Amino acid sequence: MRLFDTHTHLDAPQFDEDREEVIARALEAGVTKMINIGFNRETIPSTMQLAESHDYIYAAVGWHPQDAIDMKEGDLEWIASLCSHPKVVAIGEIGLDYYWDTSPKEVQHEVFRKQIRLARELKMPISIHNRDAHEDVVRILREEKADEIGGVMHSFSGSWETAKMCLDLGFHLSFGGPITFKNARVPKEVLAQTPLDRLLIETDSPYLTPHPFRGKRNETAHVKLVAEAAAEIKGIDLQELAEITYANALERFGIV
């Protein structure tokens, strides 16, 4: 069985003491491919280093909405230059975050739009961060014609109505640890209705740890727990769920 963690942060400081052991546990769990996310000035270089030193780790590079206010002239060109690297498969994570008050909304919007335009120019898929900003995220994706490139709604947390709008724009929906939580009614209902050919799985490690490890550090090996929960919700066996989401990820990110 092969699993694909489409969103992880293995370069996070939470892994500084045992990063290679964490990666080894992921491989032992059947996670044969993973995408590490570089989302600001600090994490983009460490993400590139991981991708270059491990055959099975790929990179997404972009500017996170929480860090939008820190984006300087030249950073967009930096991201663009990295997109020609063979291990860079997406621009992300980009989007809007109205939960953490770290960057003004108008700055987030500007940085988001610029990166969608860059992705369209380079014909790269995008990985979307959306926290408490569903209406504006969908509106900007439409206005910037993001349907021309598509991408993934990372750790999708919206309603089925929002999900349908994202699917109509050609995006995949990715689910993580929250679908294993007993009280996570909405994500489970949305996943149940998500077409199998648009479904992806992830960990967002070291965050969003699935049950029964909730409250502890998440790691990429736990994507198997996400896969098990998703398979149960979809009413198919784990092997089939793993094969479908693996193939979806390869196609979505253009990995051969």
Side-chain angles (χ1 to χ4, degrees), residues 139-160:
R139 176 177 58 82
I140 290 173
L141 288 173
R142 283 174 173 161
E143 290 174 356
E144 296 296 338
K145 301 177 182 178
D147 58 309
E148 293 181 5
I149 47 172
V152 54
M153 306 303 293
H154 141 64
S155 191
F156 188 78
S157 61
S159 66
W160 175 239

Side-chain angles (χ1 to χ4, degrees), residues 31-53:
V31 187
T32 62
K33 287 190 179 356
M34 48 203 92
I35 298 176
N36 205 79
I37 311 297
F39 58 87
N40 59 20
R41 198 166 288 109
E42 292 73 39
T43 61
I44 289 173
S46 53
T47 289
M48 294 304 300
Q49 192 278 328
L50 273 174
E52 289 176 344
S53 58

